Structure formats: C-alpha cells, structure tokens
Amino acid sequence: IFYFSGTSQDCYLYIHLNYDPVLFVKRYFPRAKEESALKNILQISSIKQIPDKIQGLHKKLPDTCGMAFDVVPVRDYHFYQVLFSTTTFVDATMMVNDCRQIKSIYEIEQMKLAAKLSEKTFHFIRDNIRPGISEMEFCGIYETFARKLGHSGILLNRYYRSTGYVFHLLSGGHGGIIGSVDTPCCGNGTSISHPFGASGKIIQENEPIFIDFGTILNGYNIDETRMFVMGKMEQKAMDASKASIEILHRLLSEMQPGVAMCEIFEKSVLHAKKLGYEEQFL
C-alpha cells in the first residue's frame, strides 16, 4: 500500500484499470491525506463500507479483482469474498512484484541513502567492536547507532513463516550452527522460541565474527554482510573469506541489464567449485 499510495496508515487501496485509484482510510485520515498524493482518498469507519463506496463511484463492483495472495491471510480472503459476493478474486502477487522491481529515480536514491547508512553502521562496528561482551549486547550497541540515523528497527518480509530482524551476529563456532533460517548461517539465538541470530555468547579475539545487517530507511532495504576479526583470523577461515570476495568480484563483471539471475547464480556455484568450496558454498 505504501508503494502505490505513499502512506502507511490503516487503509485499503483499490486500483481500477479505467479510473483513478481510490484509497479508503480507516485511520488515520488526516495523516493519510497529508502523506498520499492520490486524488481519491475517502474516510471509512468500517471495511464493510467499501463495496457501497465503489458502487457509488463506478456504478458496479468489479467482476474480477486481483489480490496479493502471498500476504493476505485465508480468513481475510474469505471475508472479502463474502463482502464482494459477485466478484472473483485472483492472485495478483506477480503483477505487484513486477511493478515493484522497476525502480524510479526516487527509489534508487532511497536505496543509495539506505546503503550509505549501512556503510556508516559497519564503520561504527569496525571502530567499536571489542572482546568480552555478548553477541546480543553488541547488536544492541550498533542497532542504537543506526536507529539514531533513521533506521526503522524492523525488517518486513513477504513470507509468513519468516521473521525479519537486525541482530544477526554470529561469532566463532556459532557461525557454523545451522537451523530454521533459510540461510547457510543461522546462529544459536536467545532461546528455543527464537533459535536464530545473536546469542549470549561472549565475543572473543582471534575468531571470525559474521555480521549480517539489514538496513531499512524510508521503507527501502539494503542487506549487507561483513566478516570481522579482532586480532588474527585462523588461516582456513581467512582463505574462505578471500574466496568469497573473489567470487563476489567475479560476478560484478557478469551483472548487466538483460542477464538472467539464474545464469549469475550458476556461475557463482561453478566458481566456488573451482576454488574448492563446492560443498560449503551457500
């Protein structure tokens, strides 16, 4: 809704093929009115008012309506189906994603600002990381730094079984713990109810420290991972880090408009195999 309307207030957006879009705002109407550039912004006290208001504007309800099925709960879908009894709902997820993957000049600028914030945060991490404190405590320190510069503190996901979080710091042996997170590096987490990311483990000298920090600024994300060490990293770990950097720089030259991402991925896998990291890569 924020992408298409410019506001994140509690509202419902109706986009018609032949008419201007309509934003139905439950709360808070004055803020939505101020934030959104849409012309048709209507206040409602209940979602049940929406069908009548659409009929008042367009004389009829749509025969077919697209909905982002990947994020709409089943209960809500059934509710809409009863509310719009003559309308057939279809999955518009790919249509929404296809729109969003094309970035405007404004959006690219927002992504650059988020990248700058990520860079500043990692510089802060490099200058302030120290042995003797826990993984989670240090996450709190650098998250506080980023929050002061506008980081929202949350990472939104489009998958209901995944939780976005910014405290993904894994040190020493914790970098090798696998688990529920769909990445090669899960970590131990704080409890069995949150079994991923940073833990109470104390950060030590001479061990690899993996920090995956997701930045969200003005609604736009940058996700960046860096490896740190206080002192001297074990040679085996250093060699793997250098191999990762080599693969990354090799792929940069391959990334051009029109190249399929599956081709880029396959080349990364082949290069990892060439360097002796086929089993461990990703």
Side-chain angles (χ1 to χ4, degrees), residues 31-43:
R31 287 185 65 176
K33 191 84 170 165
E34 181 181 341
E35 293 166 355
S36 178
L38 297 181
K39 289 188 292 185
N40 295 334
I41 305 177
L42 304 179
Q43 187 170 17

Side-chain angles (χ1 to χ4, degrees), residues 143-158:
E143 183 182 343
T144 298
F145 172 85
R147 292 293 295 271
K148 288 179 178 179
L149 298 178
H151 192 300
S152 70
I154 60 170
L155 300 174
L156 299 177
N157 290 325
R158 291 190 71 88

Side-chain angles (χ1 to χ4, degrees), residues 117-231:
L117 176 53
S118 181
E119 182 182 41
K120 289 178 181 177
T121 305
F122 274 109
H123 285 172
F124 175 85
I125 290 171
R126 179 194 62 196
D127 296 338
N128 290 274
I129 193 168
R130 63 184 188 273
I133 64 173
S134 72
E135 294 175 342
M136 185 56 78
E137 181 180 353
F138 188 61
C139 285
I141 291 171
Y142 69 71
E143 183 182 343
T144 298
F145 172 85
R147 292 293 295 271
K148 288 179 178 179
L149 298 178
H151 192 300
S152 70
I154 60 170
L155 300 174
L156 299 177
N157 290 325
R158 291 190 71 88
Y159 186 46
Y160 75 100
R161 296 188 68 181
S162 181
T163 301
Y165 59 94
V166 298
F167 39 89
H168 200 66
L169 185 158
L170 319 176
S171 62
H174 277 206
I177 295 176
I178 56 177
S180 60
V181 179
D182 188 20
T183 78
C185 306
C186 178
N188 201 52
T190 54
S191 71
I192 58 173
S193 68
H194 194 100
F196 37 80
S199 71
K201 177 188 173 298
I202 301 300
I203 301 172
Q204 308 285 349
E205 292 182 331
N206 305 317
E207 66 177 3
I209 302 167
F210 170 101
I211 300 180
D212 180 1
F213 182 63
T215 298
I216 182 164
L217 183 67
N218 301 327
Y220 287 85
N221 289 57
I222 287 292
D223 191 23
E224 187 171 5
T225 302
R226 298 193 191 188
M227 189 74 77
F228 294 84
V229 64
M230 296 176 291

